[in-house]
Amino acid sequence: MAAVVRNGNVCFAIFGKFRGFSQRFGAAACSRQCSTVTETTEEELWRQYHDTNQLAQQQKPLCKINPTSVFANNELCMGDVEVYGFDYDYTLAHYTDELYPLIYNLAKERLLMRNKYPESIMALEYIPGFAVRGLHYDIEKALLMKIDAFHHIQLGTVFRGHQQVSDAEVFSQYDGTHVPVDYMSSFHGRGKQMVQLMDMFSLSEMALLCDITEFFLKNGIEYDPEYLFYDVKNAVISVHLSGDMHKAVAEDMDRYLERGEEIAQLLRRLAGAGKKLFLITNSPFWFVQRGMEYIAGPSWMEMFDVVIAESRKPKFFTDTKRPFREVSKTSGTCKFERVTSLRKGQVYIQGNLQDFRQMTGWYGARVLYFGDHVYSDLADPFLKHGWRTGAIIPELEDEIKISNSTSYKDTISWLLALQGLIESQQSRHDEAVQAVVQEWMKEMRELRHYTKDIFNPQFGSLFRTHHNPTYFSRRLMRFADIYTSSVANLLHFPIDYTFYPRRSALPHEINYDS
């Protein structure tokens, strides 16, 4: 229920449907100046509570959000886009959940063989759904947590290993819940002690960090949290750089990679409409080649004007000196000639965006680039080069399905209505009234816990910390013009469609939906 101040009164509306609330239940329910009216009795407060609850259930929203839609943070006219760019992993290629235990187990083997971790860690198994991406990890304290858009830790989401850290300890460790910006890492995870784990592959890393921390704690093994973090981080990086993950995926495509008929259909549609297409990925070309043949067929390269592998993002967008190298599509060997143009049908590695722009003539808002990593894929193109950007968030569909559920909508409707009741009475100093308000606040906390746990028992939604957006959401809204669960969802819209952001009332504005 949104609270809107009109002429000094607070009018309550559940998703825009609580019109006339103040007239129905009287000024005592709706006025911020409730100390000036006749004192409300405890019985009247509870009657108001039950009447509001009944009205909330009657006025609950019936609409549902389409999980495969495209959502706009910023107005974007697709008719103005002439060039479409794509990342590969989790953008054109969507992996099955089998990939997470694969990375987890390969990294575990490295910890045993290279770092001489106890052999008994090999019995650890990946726990599906333990973490969500976008969480922060305190390297010094070995704590995994969720932080909101205002740098506050969401209480109840702080874990050391598998153990939830008490609110009292969180307050003690951080002098409250606020994490200063100087303590947090930069966009690309450089420096500082609080790092954000942003990409889909980090789910395996977070699980392994927490599992080994729990293993050490249960077995009384003393450890340095920083060494543990960097050991696990380097093990996961090695899984990628060694090519072991790529080889395992390539050997069993049906197990690890989803078919991409709609992806192929979208690429053909764009190319057929005269749009320019390019691919910039950090993955090796032989791996991309195998995957794209699986997804879009053997002639997939005919749809792309430029293909760049091993690009070293985010350095590709910031380094102005690393030259492009052409590689053989068949043998993968590098050619020695200097690259002065980017030709269709050829494959290039490394390079930098400055040369890319000069060789292609593709500048600014004519370019729309899609990627799954809000920082490495989208931040620099958006902030420094004026590209339009699209974020691919595979978790979005499941989150929307949960938010469409009757139980979730009923809970949110009542939570917002209850918050309005608390807001209307909290300035009263009558002891009996405050006792009722305290009971309401206790129920509100229980409702908030439910709306967290329904998404993930440990960390809740990827996008919300109770009423606030998450730190992840804040960055998503800042660096992505649009976002969706798959680029294939663009097929639901005309090629010249304009995506408009929802106009939401700012706290000081009138809510015209109410």
Side-chain angles (χ1 to χ4, degrees), residues 178-195:
H178 185 262
V179 180
V181 66
D182 292 341
Y183 196 72
M184 303 175 77
S185 65
S186 66
F187 290 167
H188 306 311
R190 299 190 186 97
K192 313 303 181 184
Q193 295 304 313
M194 186 80 80
V195 298

Side-chain angles (χ1 to χ4, degrees), residues 442-482:
K442 179 182 177 182
E443 182 179 358
M444 183 172 69
R445 288 192 293 270
E446 293 171 351
L447 293 171
R448 284 180 171 180
H449 285 308
Y450 174 80
T451 59
K452 173 185 83 75
D453 294 347
I454 195 172
F455 290 98
N456 178 284
Q458 292 76 234
F459 302 101
S461 167
L462 173 66
F463 301 97
R464 277 199 178 275
T465 57
H466 297 322
H467 47 285
N468 286 337
T470 59
Y471 195 91
F472 177 91
S473 286
R474 178 186 178 185
R475 297 306 190 188
L476 174 65
M477 295 174 189
R478 179 71 179 88
F479 302 136
D481 291 296
I482 57 175

